Amino acid sequence: MDMTFEEIKALLAAEGAQMELLLKRALEVKLREMDNYVHLRGLIEFGNVCEKNCLYCGLRRGNSKVGRYCLTDDDVLSCARLAHELGYGSVALQSGERSDADFIDRIERLVKEIKKIDGGSLGITLSLGEQTEDTYRRWFDAGAHRYLLRIESSDETLYYKIHPRDSKHSFRQRIACLESLIRTGYQTGTGVMVGLPFQTIDHLAGDLLFFKQMNVAMVGLGPYIPHPDTPLYRFKDLVPEAKKRMDLTLKMIAVLRLMMPRINMVAATANQTIDPQGREKAILAGANVIMPNLTPGEYRENYFIYPDKACVKDTPDQCQTCLDIRLAAIGHKIQYNAWGDSPAFTEMAGITGAHARP
Ligand code: SF4
């Protein structure tokens, strides 16, 4: 559905019964277009070394308090095999941003190895930041088919309030990378944080129009959670209280579901961090993807982009049982052993001849 900037702003301002009506409409649209399935991406946070210094992120290069780690190839492949055994259907490889030749070669090798598991039955999402188009192509040709690169804010002025203004953190470059990913043929995802200091309803409405204009296949929306070891923390008093951030995130998900009915949308772990029912609420507002954490327990506490992350101590088995029960309680079910691609992307790929996979 097409919406004007003003119509989006009015929906994002909805409160009480109006907000409930918005969430109900979004759920109806999702069930009509996507059924009640939730797709899983087993998340492997395989390293937290990062070249960048994003002002909100606990992994930023300038944070000397975080213990740095990097999983071995064997560890990463064990996590991928576990995802396959648990029937997740897909994995997501995520790390701090690096662009050195060793890193690029290693990812290409790992993607190829993961594709060997059970004849290529696992789908692969990468979330490895800004790279050259040649690198994106190499990883795509190796077998990755989805890529998540969050813009964090589509407003250039706000972008530079949460990133240093230097050549390593260029807003224009980030947009160019999203365009490269789409050109390469990835199911491309992006997203923003909701409730940032200095962020207004106008910014958020602009973000939703940006997703639509870029015609992305996936979106991840989660509340901003201030991290005490980051420069942005000093503006924490400008951050809306947790309930308001949660409600705003739910409204963003719901409005986007109305605007882009067949894209994949992640119920981010950050939702559950600020509200024990946050992940379920996101699913009921229109999200349809969950990313259970497969990173070995001893490393998880060093992958805190934001503090107090939910489910950090759960084992994959506990996580799966918990998810099955929680989702059944809200009338949803996990679609096991499927890639769970975005129908919006596969339909578009049929039209354009882009590289869709089964
Ligand atoms: S948001 Fe990503 S690129 Fe920025 S500092 Fe954190 S891990 Fe690095």
Side-chain angles (χ1 to χ4, degrees), residues 37-38 40 86-89 320-321 323-324 334-339:
Y37 285 115
V38 172
L40 301 182
L86 294 170
Y88 283 4
Q320 187 167 19
T321 310
L323 274 179
D324 276 326
I334 294 170
Q335 188 171 36
Y336 286 106
N337 300 305
W339 286 11

Side-chain angles (χ1 to χ4, degrees), residues 27 30-39 283-284 287-288 327-328 330-335:
L27 178 60
K30 184 185 77 165
L31 294 176
R32 187 186 73 217
E33 299 288 334
M34 318 274 280
D35 212 337
N36 66 343
Y37 285 115
V38 172
H39 305 299
I283 294 288
L284 288 172
N288 68 325
L327 291 172
I330 57 167
H332 282 66
K333 57 188 174 207
I334 294 170
Q335 188 171 36

